[in-house]
Amino acid sequence: IPLAGVIGNPISHSQSPKMHKYWLRKYGLLGDYVPLHVHEDNLEQVLRTMPQMGFAGANVTIPHKVNVMSIADQVSDRATLIGAANTLIFKNDGKIYADNTDGYGFMANIKQNAPHWDPKAGPAAIFGAGGAARAVIVALADAGVPEIYLSNRTRPKAEALKSEFGARIKIVDWVQAGNMLDDATTVVNTTSLGMTGAAEFRVPLDGLKPGMVVTDLVYTPLRTRLLDEAEAAGCTVVDGLGMLLHQGVPGFERWFGVRPEVDDELRQVML
Ligand code: ATR
């Protein structure tokens, strides 16, 4: 019976078990998916033992997404580029393969919910320069966006991403972040602003206009201020729940042998 799980510290908040258990039930598969609370000091030992316990793989969440990279025996190109892994596959010979499906999940979510979106149509505006922004930048650059505007409260973090990911990135100071909307056609919030319990997203949004595709990685609440204003301005809006759901697809398929669907029923289960 194949097993998978999600490794983090803390872990009780993770939504992944709900999703994978739903898919296991939906497709009538034997197997289970469990939350695993693992301390940093024990990460390597736990990962080395899991294949012997019947695990086919695991998801990895905060704070282990970077550290698993040095423990893994093989790392995918996209995980290397992003500098973090969220999906592990344990090979038959016991080797650990580390992948990152966050960028895939980001793209699949937009493609599913804004089918007419053309990443090449114009610049992308990204708010935030944390871990999530790295996956978004790699995905958008790969999709051929002509230019990426990047704004972060702590400017040096945006500059570090520019020096890493290159010439197509233009830094905009946080106090002028709203100016990124002047000619962007894709707009992404990767900050935690607007999340329940966090500070509000206060960037001026009068630059939002029809034709833009606007997405927020925050999904609690599902409708953030950014998405509300974007919808009112006639933009196509894509909420962040779908990214969480889609990033789980490649792992589930590898561990359990069925490529699961992201549909409305799954969304309802997750809310
Ligand atoms: P994640 O992996 O989700 O990206 P993170 O790496 O902690 O998490 O990044 C959080 C992002 O939200 C960062 O861009 C952070 O800005 P800083 O780099 O300046 O910290 C942004 N963020 C969090 N709280 C913020 C606030 N009150 N105002 C502006 N940006 C904020």
Side-chain angles (χ1 to χ4, degrees):
I1 297 176
L3 294 175
V6 56
I7 302 169
N9 180 18
I11 199 60
S12 57
H13 66 286
S14 174
Q15 296 275 74
S16 292
K18 211 178 180 182
M19 172 169 77
H20 288 276
K21 280 169 169 292
Y22 165 82
W23 280 333
L24 284 167
R25 232 181 306 117
K26 173 174 175 178
Y27 297 106
L29 299 170
L30 282 179
D32 208 349
Y33 185 102
V34 290
L36 298 164
H37 187 186
V38 178
H39 190 274
E40 283 84 326
D41 298 346
N42 302 326
L43 182 62
E44 175 150 23
Q45 192 193 350
V46 166
L47 288 177
R48 290 289 163 206
T49 310
M50 284 176 73
Q52 302 162 19
M53 296 170 68
F55 280 86
N59 287 122
V60 182
T61 187
I62 289 159
H64 303 316
K65 292 176 84 164
V66 174
N67 285 340
V68 292
M69 299 284 284
S70 52
I71 297 170
D73 303 295
Q74 283 174 279
V75 178
S76 71
D77 291 346
R78 58 190 180 180
T80 302
L81 265 174
I82 295 165
N86 72 336
T87 303
L88 303 178
I89 289 146
F90 304 145
K91 303 279 188 70
N92 288 334
D93 60 3
K95 292 225 160 90
I96 299 171
Y97 176 75
D99 192 10
N100 192 312
T101 65
D102 286 334
Y104 163 80
F106 172 76
M107 294 298 290
N109 183 37
I110 301 187
K111 285 177 186 166
Q112 185 177 46
N113 294 292
H116 301 296
W117 176 60
D118 176 10
K120 300 190 170 98
I126 301 179
F127 300 99
R134 297 177 68 89
V136 168
I137 288 169
V138 168
L140 288 175
D142 192 49
V145 295
E147 196 168 20
I148 293 172
Y149 302 145
L150 182 61
S151 187
N152 195 53
R153 173 182 60 177
T154 310
R155 188 178 168 121
K157 282 171 69 179
E159 277 158 2
L161 291 187
K162 179 183 165 71
S163 60
E164 198 172 340
F165 296 119
R168 273 192 279 171
I169 298 177
K170 192 176 161 206
I171 311 293
V172 174
D173 205 79
W174 184 245
V175 294
Q176 290 168 351
N179 294 352
M180 296 196 296
L181 303 176
D182 287 350
D183 66 338
T185 57
T186 305
V187 178
V188 187
N189 174 42
T190 75
T191 74
S192 49
L193 294 169
M195 196 185 290
T196 309
E200 275 173 65
F201 186 87
R202 293 186 192 281
V203 174
L205 295 174
D206 28 277
L208 292 170
K209 48 192 136 343
M212 291 178 169
V213 171
V214 181
T215 187
D216 201 326
L217 269 48
V218 169
Y219 58 88
T220 48
L222 213 46
R223 276 306 164 119
T224 58
R225 172 183 165 241
L226 172 63
L227 296 186
D228 273 341
E229 303 245 335
E231 185 160 73
C235 308
T236 302
V237 307
V238 179
D239 70 52
L241 179 59
M243 177 173 170
L244 167 75
L245 307 181
H246 282 283
Q247 65 75 34
V249 168
F252 187 94
E253 182 179 25
R254 289 295 295 267
W255 307 322
F256 301 115
V258 173
R259 189 162 183 89
E261 231 179 298
V262 173
D263 56 17
D264 244 16
E265 195 184 317
L266 174 60
R267 283 177 62 88
Q268 293 311 315
V269 167
M270 297 302 287
L271 290 176

